[in-house]
Amino acid sequence: MRNVIIQCLLYGSLTFGIWTALLFIYFYHNHVSIWQKKTQETTSTWSLDRKLQQQIIHGSGNILRPHVRVQRTNEDETKEQRPFLKLGKDFNYTDPELVLGFLKYGFNTVSSKSLGNERHVPDTRNKMCRNKLYPTKLPTASIVICFHNEEFNALFRTVSSVIKLTPHHILEEIILVDDMSEFDDLKEKLDYHLEIFRGKIKLIRNKKREGLVRARLIGASRASGDVLVFLDSHCEVNKVWLEPLLYAITKNHKMVVCPLIDVIDYMTLEYQPSPVVRGAFNWYLQFKWDTVFSYEMDGPEGPTRPIRSPAMAGGIFAIKRHYFNEIGQYDKGMSLWGGENLELSLRIWMCGGQLFVLPCSRIGHINKQHILNHPGVIKAVTYNNLRLVHVWLDDYKEQVFLRRPGLRSIPYGNISERVELRKRLGCKSFQWYLDTIFPELEASQASR
């Protein structure tokens, strides 16, 4: 009798929890519907604008270059209206597994499980890219993948796609850094499944949560390849993805290169091609995708030509290992994640390096719909951005404070080591960066 009562209580608690989540999603969905009518601005860092996706999918001609500056809504209004999870109107709110998967991982885990550990993705490269040939002798690459509570199948597809689509003679190793994950399937189950890749995998388990920046530094410190390639833990590489990155670095060891990021839809997990874009940002230090000038794809190389990029998204890029150490790796004082991509981008350009997007290298990335308004994340991003502002923006930091005056009084830790690094490397001014690399980032008329 006692066991029956305990079972009833357990089932009752489980049912109550599921219905609570469903009711939460239902009311949240109504809130999102109202919000979507009021604003069209996306809050996802990685998602490409839908119009850009449609242009490439439906084969439009020239892509016009949009202005980088965006119109900002009222700050207080934004706080009240910005959703923390964007789900479409066709979302099935009655499926508990689907709902809980979204709350836990930020994408459709039901579809992810059905896809399994590996799949074939369409070759989204331009036809001219498919005719390119690369030297057999290239530098070796260490692939660094950090993860924290990642969905098992998405993580394993990332690893298996790298193994399957990378020539073994240039793949030195895959370094997986588990940043103190809590989920059971990322422990013994992951160890068991990784056995098939023995000899190519190094698995490091952090004993405390380090955050993305320090986790990547831990992975990089264990690397032995000539080139470091950082990947997110929910990617799928495409055909001949690594060779263009390595070949570009052989021609200039101070060149940092990024692939084009294709979109893996968070709902359907369909692999969708992206147009040729570059990385940019605004004075709120928000990363943006920006289309390129049509003339940049003219000439004999056409759409295969490397694209100069003012900034990188940060999740996926390749850099010579010795050069990464030479220019100061990451700012170890940064917390969790956020802002490290812009800080590294500015440091590369201002300190003598170059940053390019290579259209012939393609990697798909799940555009997760995460809870971005989590207080811990907001605090970390603000802290990291302030470190960037005070080290690299010179007098132009007033452009940031003009838009967000509340940041002036927020502490950002000790930056003396990074200031000294800038002096030691003989880096140029932010004015030079604006004049030479990113003149589209206009200063406010009010502060001139």
Side-chain angles (χ1 to χ4, degrees):
M1 185 66 182
R2 182 179 178 184
N3 291 336
V4 172
I5 293 173
I6 291 173
Q7 287 180 354
C8 290
L9 288 172
L10 287 173
Y11 287 130
S13 299
L14 180 61
T15 304
F16 176 77
I18 291 173
W19 279 108
T20 300
L22 290 173
L23 286 171
F24 170 77
I25 293 294
Y26 171 77
F27 288 117
Y28 166 74
H29 173 62
N30 289 340
H31 170 71
V32 171
S33 298
I34 296 170
W35 177 85
Q36 286 175 335
K37 293 176 183 178
K38 295 182 178 180
T39 180
Q40 297 298 316
E41 173 137 2
T42 180
T43 58
S44 174
T45 302
W46 280 90
S47 298
L48 285 168
D49 186 91
R50 188 170 298 276
K51 289 181 180 177
L52 285 179
Q53 290 188 42
Q54 289 173 347
Q55 284 174 329
I56 192 69
I57 292 169
H58 299 300
S60 68
N62 292 330
I63 301 174
L64 296 177
R65 180 182 178 85
H67 224 288
V68 173
R69 291 203 298 173
V70 298
Q71 186 173 356
R72 180 84 167 179
T73 55
N74 179 273
E75 189 103 0
D76 295 332
E77 184 180 357
T78 303
K79 288 180 181 178
E80 293 175 1
Q81 295 177 350
R82 182 181 296 150
F84 54 81
L85 186 65
K86 296 196 304 176
L87 304 177
K89 59 185 178 182
D90 297 327
F91 185 81
N92 183 6
Y93 294 91
T94 62
D95 185 339
E97 185 179 2
L98 185 62
V99 170
L100 294 176
F102 262 95
L103 290 173
K104 194 173 182 180
Y105 297 107
F107 65 97
N108 188 339
T109 57
V110 176
S111 294
S112 185
K113 287 179 183 177
S114 68
L115 287 177
N117 293 341
E118 65 176 83
R119 65 163 169 173
H120 170 78
V121 298
D123 187 348
T124 55
R125 294 174 298 158
N126 183 277
K127 290 181 180 179
M128 290 182 65
C129 291
R130 302 176 195 182
N131 296 326
K132 273 183 169 286
L133 298 175
Y134 299 96
T136 304
K137 188 175 181 180
L138 288 169
T140 57
S142 294
I143 317 298
V144 180
I145 303 171
C146 302
F147 64 95
H148 172 74
N149 290 345
E150 183 60 88
E151 198 266 335
F152 177 86
N153 296 285
L155 173 62
F156 209 84
R157 278 195 302 275
T158 304
V159 175
S160 62
S161 71
V162 171
I163 293 286
K164 182 180 178 182
L165 295 174
T166 308
H168 280 211
H169 70 281
I170 58 175
L171 179 60
E172 178 73 18
E173 62 205 351
I174 299 176
I175 302 175
L176 291 174
V177 183
D178 176 9
D179 195 19
M180 199 67 181
S181 294
E182 302 158 337
F183 300 155
D184 290 338
D185 59 359
L186 297 176
K187 301 184 188 308
E188 288 81 4
K189 179 181 175 180
L190 180 61
D191 293 339
Y192 174 78
H193 281 77
L194 289 176
E195 278 294 310
I196 62 173
F197 304 133
R198 179 182 289 187
K200 284 293 184 182
I201 297 282
K202 290 180 182 177
L203 177 57
I204 303 168
R205 296 195 185 272
N206 292 341
K207 295 181 179 179
K208 65 174 183 175
R209 181 77 192 278
E210 298 286 355
L212 177 66
V213 173
R214 287 190 287 275
R216 282 188 163 185
L217 288 173
I218 290 170
S221 70
R222 299 282 294 273
S224 55
D226 302 315
V227 173
L228 295 171
V229 182
F230 294 99
L231 293 185
D232 272 349
S233 55
H234 39 275
C235 300
E236 291 174 67
V237 304
N238 214 312
K239 292 180 180 178
V240 196
W241 72 281
L242 184 57
E243 291 91 325
L245 304 177
L246 298 181
Y247 182 56
I249 291 173
T250 62
K251 293 189 290 185
N252 181 355
H253 80 279
K254 292 187 176 182
M255 181 179 285
V256 181
V257 287
C258 307
L260 267 182
I261 309 297
D262 289 331
V263 173
I264 300 176
D265 187 81
Y266 68 90
M267 176 58 74
T268 64
L269 295 193
E270 177 188 2
Y271 189 107
Q272 302 169 348
S274 76
V276 177
V277 290
R278 74 170 88 241
F281 61 95
N282 58 25
W283 287 114
Y284 291 94
L285 304 181
Q286 298 166 327
F287 178 84
K288 303 286 181 182
W289 290 117
D290 193 17
T291 51
V292 303
F293 292 113
S294 58
Y295 71 78
E296 292 188 75
M297 291 184 282
D298 292 338
E301 290 185 278
T304 72
R305 181 180 176 181
I307 303 298
R308 192 172 75 165
S309 186
M312 68 165 81
I316 305 173
F317 69 96
I319 185 171
K320 186 86 171 179
R321 181 162 60 92
H322 293 308
Y323 182 57
F324 181 66
N325 295 328
E326 178 187 325
I327 64 168
Q329 304 178 336
Y330 281 116
D331 179 357
K332 299 180 183 67
M334 286 189 170
S335 177
L336 287 178
W337 59 267
E340 80 287 341
N341 58 319
L342 297 185
E343 193 274 342
L344 182 56
S345 301
L346 294 178
R347 183 155 33 99
I348 290 166
W349 280 119
M350 293 167 63
C351 304
Q354 298 181 24
L355 177 60
F356 280 80
V357 173
L358 305 186
C360 287
S361 175
R362 296 261 181 170
I363 297 179
H365 180 274
I366 299 177
N367 56 329
K368 287 188 177 186
Q369 304 299 296
H370 259 328
I371 300 176
L372 297 178
N373 281 9
H374 188 282
V377 173
I378 294 174
K379 184 178 180 180
V381 171
T382 301
Y383 182 85
N384 296 348
N385 280 341
L386 281 171
R387 293 180 67 85
L388 175 162
V389 164
H390 287 284
V391 174
W392 297 104
L393 263 57
D394 302 330
D395 292 340
Y396 279 91
K397 63 187 175 184
E398 293 302 321
Q399 293 293 331
V400 176
F401 296 143
L402 180 70
R403 291 157 176 80
R404 299 181 64 189
L407 295 183
R408 291 182 186 274
S409 59
I410 296 178
Y412 48 87
N414 187 340
I415 59 171
S416 58
E417 181 184 341
R418 305 310 286 183
V419 171
E420 180 58 34
L421 172 70
R422 180 176 174 179
K423 292 178 181 177
R424 187 171 75 250
L425 294 175
C427 304
K428 296 180 173 67
S429 68
F430 190 72
Q431 181 67 63
W432 173 90
Y433 173 82
L434 288 179
D435 293 340
T436 311
I437 307 301
F438 196 16
E440 298 88 351
L441 184 63
E442 297 180 359
S444 171
Q445 294 285 347
S447 63
R448 290 181 179 174

